[in-house]
Amino acid sequence: DGGITQSPKYLFRKEGQNVTLSCEQNLNHDAMYWYRQDPGQGLRLIYYSQIVNDFQKGDIAEGYSVSREKKESFPLTVTSAQKNPTAFYLCASSPNDRLQPQHFGDGTRLSIL
Amino acid sequence: RKEVEQDPGPFNVPEGATVAFNCTYSNSASQSFFWYRQDCRKEPKLLMSVYSSGNEDGRFTAQLNRASQYISLLIRDSKLSDSATYLCVVASGSARQLTFGSGTQLTVLP
């Protein structure tokens, strides 16, 4: 079945540690996105990529980094510079077509130890 | 003013009721509109796209009013399984960035 796989489902970060969240899709979508969701709030865009080897900052990119070496993969690193990383992280993908919606993975919950 | 605004609710309705949600957006150049459903602690899932002429999918009807810059979602004959948070989503710009509303929480009561 085609879809988006995020791992791990739950992740704990120690102070000063970088952690990487995985996102893989087999939908052959060109565009991939990372969002952060805090309780009771909407999704906020961290980074997005419309093509391999290219990505753009979203609204809240500080403290995060990404790479897009393969079409299928768009990992997100939460660096130690992100002082409030506890949130629900969602990866999405879509074709590069403005009429097409985005489809989401089932998310990673990140907490601070 | 937020780019996409929704009434957060909660809306508590009995089974079988009809309920309507509205959403306003500020960017008049917005191009695509969607309603997503999000269950507690789960990812958002596409409920339906919203077309200019309005569209219906079973018990769900979505409408778009570009002049007033709002979209609506009508749910008829509510089921217990409709309980969720409904997210209004607007796509703008050449990069097709999506802007999400904060969501409207619906609880359908037996």
Side-chain angles (χ1 to χ4, degrees):
Chain A
D1 286 339
I4 304 171
T5 303
Q6 289 187 241
S7 63
K9 199 170 181 68
Y10 299 94
L11 186 59
F12 297 91
R13 195 193 88 169
K14 294 180 182 177
E15 291 287 337
Q17 187 182 39
N18 293 353
V19 292
T20 298
L21 284 59
S22 169
C23 179
E24 304 277 333
Q25 56 100 358
N26 60 5
L27 299 167
N28 199 33
H29 286 167
D30 289 309
M32 297 187 74
Y33 309 82
W34 274 105
Y35 294 90
R36 168 183 173 139
Q37 187 175 35
D38 293 281
Q41 296 191 32
L43 278 67
R44 292 183 291 167
L45 182 65
I46 304 172
Y47 268 98
Y48 65 98
S49 168
Q50 292 183 288
I51 197 169
V52 174
N53 292 323
D54 187 53
F55 47 83
Q56 306 295 329
K57 292 182 179 180
D59 301 319
I60 54 164
E62 186 173 349
Y64 301 97
S65 65
V66 293
S67 63
R68 186 85 188 277
E69 297 176 3
K70 298 186 301 182
K71 186 176 184 178
E72 302 80 21
S73 179
F74 192 39
L76 174 74
T77 296
V78 184
T79 74
S80 57
Q82 173 48 247
K83 298 306 180 189
N84 184 22
T86 298
F88 187 37
Y89 290 87
L90 288 156
C91 178
S93 72
S94 72
N96 263 329
D97 175 345
R98 66 179 179 88
L99 296 180
Q100 297 299 316
Q102 294 176 10
H103 298 274
F104 287 84
D106 57 6
T108 293
R109 292 197 178 274
L110 176 62
S111 301
I112 291 236
L113 278 179
Chain B
R1 181 186 173 189
K2 288 184 180 178
E3 288 187 58
V4 178
E5 291 202 68
Q6 295 182 249
D7 181 343
F11 285 64
N12 298 318
V13 303
E15 267 188 293
T18 295
V19 60
F21 307 136
N22 287 330
C23 166
T24 58
Y25 60 95
S26 60
N27 185 349
S28 59
S30 297
Q31 300 163 328
S32 307
F33 308 87
F34 310 97
W35 282 102
Y36 279 74
R37 169 197 169 122
Q38 186 173 24
D39 292 290
C40 188
R41 300 178 70 80
K42 299 283 189 182
E43 76 277 19
K45 292 186 177 176
L46 178 68
L47 180 64
M48 58 196 305
S49 302
V50 186
Y51 303 120
S52 297
S53 55
N55 48 298
E56 188 174 305
D57 182 1
R59 297 182 294 108
F60 299 85
T61 301
Q63 291 195 311
L64 167 64
N65 185 320
R66 284 191 184 270
S68 301
Q69 293 181 207
Y70 79 82
I71 66 175
S72 64
L73 177 67
L74 182 77
I75 305 175
R76 291 182 299 278
D77 188 23
S78 300
K79 312 290 185 191
L80 296 177
S81 58
D82 293 335
S83 298
T85 296
Y86 290 84
L87 303 173
C88 169
V89 183
V90 176
S92 307
S94 59
R96 270 209 74 248
Q97 293 185 48
L98 295 189
T99 302
F100 288 77
S102 299
T104 298
Q105 186 180 342
L106 171 67
T107 300
V108 181
L109 304 168

